[in-house]
Structure formats: C-alpha cells, structure tokens
Amino acid sequence: MRFLRLLRKGLSVVLVLTAVAVVSGAITMWFAAEKDKVRLPRVIGMDSTAALNLLRDQGLQPKVSGREYSEAIPQDAVLSQRPASGSWVKKNSEIRLVVSQGSDAVALPSLAGLPLPQAKQILYAYGFTLGRVAQIHSSERPKGEVIAQDPEAGTLLRRGSPVAVLLSLGQLEEPASTLNGPRPNLSSLLRGQSSLLEATVQAPAQPTLKAVNPCLLTTYSESSAV
C-alpha cells in the first residue's frame, strides 16, 4: 500500500512538471512569435514618401498599389492602407498603400473659335468628353468653329463630364421668316431645351438669339461630328 501511495505521488509530480513545461514552452513560443511582430502605424493622410520611409523603419515592406482621386486627401498623400492601422503584422510583411491624386475637378478650357476636331482633342486632354453638339448659322464665326460651350470656360468640372458646344454653320445666305413665341437663351439651346433659334454673333459678346424656321438649326451627336 505504501508503495502504491508513493507511486501515485510520483506520477502526480511528473504530471505537474510536464504541465508546467508545456505551459512554459507555449509562453516562450508566444513571446518569440510576438517579438517578430510590429504594430502597424496609421499613415493615412501622410505624405506618401514619409509614409514609405516610416513603414520601412518598422521593418515592413510598403508598396504603392494604386492611385485614386480624392476631394478630402491632398495630392501625393496616403488615401488608404492595408492591413489597417493598429494591426499586428510580421516584420517584412507587405503593406499596400493607395495614394491620392487630389481633386478630379478641373477648370474647363475655352473652346470658342476652335474647329470641332481641335476642341474635341482639348476636351479629351483635360479628361472631359464631348456632349451635345448644336449647329447654328453665325455671321461672325466660319463654318465648323465653336461659338459657345456649356458649361462656360473656367467652370470647375469633374473629369469625365460631358461638355456641350454650339457649332457655326457659317453665314445665313437667305433670310428666314420669323416665328411668334418666346425667345429662348443660349443655355437652353446647348442643353437641348430649344430647337427654333438663329444666332447672329457680335464677337466678343454673347450671340443674340431670335426665333426662326426649325430647318435652320441642326444638332448631332459626337459620332457624326467632323
């Protein structure tokens, strides 16, 4: 009996020592793993160069994965990061950053006096598209030149927005019979809200509009533009 008691006591001691060793090993491994990790700092809003240097100093591998327009984050500053700030990551982990290109609003250039193909090239260069094109007779602008545009030159406009233009058909050779009714303005013509207009342009002032026979005004899409 005494022998059995001693045996049980010895086994208990062995089990306790084994458990202590396992726990100690687990703790050691956890500390070793955590020692190889760093907490990711927040770099959103920082200049991209400063953010890259900061992350490299932390033993990480930052990479610019893209660029996007932003109204809130200035140009060349970090717009987003992945993984998120505050995350624990292993050293030498890749950190992806998206950098801001700034606002996508651009001042619209003046197209007046330009041939339609050149006006289109300028719009595309600024990131805009050619919208509605209306044609109308003009005594001051040669055929094929832009008389006016909507929105007006200097307007802040998002890239990708359409710009409507009023294109000259040249001088009207035969007078047209006038029609009764209200006189719509230039903006209504460019926005497709009127179809009974003739413009007599006195440069550099805005065109003077009057109602005329509808056959004197034509509109067409970009695909049919010269």
Side-chain angles (χ1 to χ4, degrees), residues 89-113:
V89 295
K90 290 184 178 181
K91 290 184 178 180
N92 294 318
S93 295
E94 183 177 87
I95 310 300
R96 294 179 177 271
L97 306 178
V98 176
V99 177
S100 172
Q101 289 183 284
S103 173
D104 64 346
V106 179
L108 189 62
S110 175
L111 306 175

Side-chain angles (χ1 to χ4, degrees), residues 50-77:
L52 291 170
N53 291 333
L54 174 62
L55 294 173
R56 291 190 185 107
D57 290 342
Q58 297 286 327
L60 302 170
Q61 300 295 327
K63 177 182 178 181
V64 176
S65 60
R67 296 179 180 271
E68 297 178 6
Y69 292 108
S70 172
E71 299 293 330
I73 303 297
Q75 186 175 0
D76 294 328

Side-chain angles (χ1 to χ4, degrees), residues 55-217:
L55 294 173
R56 291 190 185 107
D57 290 342
Q58 297 286 327
L60 302 170
Q61 300 295 327
K63 177 182 178 181
V64 176
S65 60
R67 296 179 180 271
E68 297 178 6
Y69 292 108
S70 172
E71 299 293 330
I73 303 297
Q75 186 175 0
D76 294 328
V78 177
L79 180 60
S80 65
Q81 63 184 87
R82 185 178 296 179
S85 60
S87 304
W88 286 92
V89 295
K90 290 184 178 181
K91 290 184 178 180
N92 294 318
S93 295
E94 183 177 87
I95 310 300
R96 294 179 177 271
L97 306 178
V98 176
V99 177
S100 172
Q101 289 183 284
S103 173
D104 64 346
V106 179
L108 189 62
S110 175
L111 306 175
L114 299 177
L116 185 58
Q118 185 177 351
K120 287 168 58 178
Q121 290 179 358
I122 292 177
L123 287 176
Y124 296 159
Y126 277 77
F128 303 117
T129 61
L130 180 64
R132 186 173 186 268
V133 178
Q135 294 185 102
I136 201 167
H137 288 283
S138 168
S139 61
E140 295 296 329
R141 294 288 186 192
K143 182 178 180 180
E145 282 191 2
V146 175
I147 300 172
Q149 65 192 73
D150 183 46
E152 297 179 354
T155 302
L156 287 177
L157 199 63
R158 289 182 178 274
R159 291 179 174 87
S161 300
V163 179
V165 296
L166 183 61
L167 198 64
S168 173
L169 284 171
Q171 188 167 0
L172 181 65
E173 297 180 358
E174 297 181 1
S177 58
T178 60
L179 300 176
N180 295 326
R183 298 181 180 181
N185 57 31
L186 182 59
S187 296
S188 66
L189 172 62
L190 287 173
R191 295 171 185 172
Q193 299 169 348
S194 173
S195 61
L196 303 178
L197 297 175
E198 179 191 12
T200 303
V201 182
Q202 303 295 333
Q206 289 282 10
T208 302
L209 306 175
K210 62 182 179 180
V212 297
N213 192 304
C215 66
L216 298 177
L217 173 68

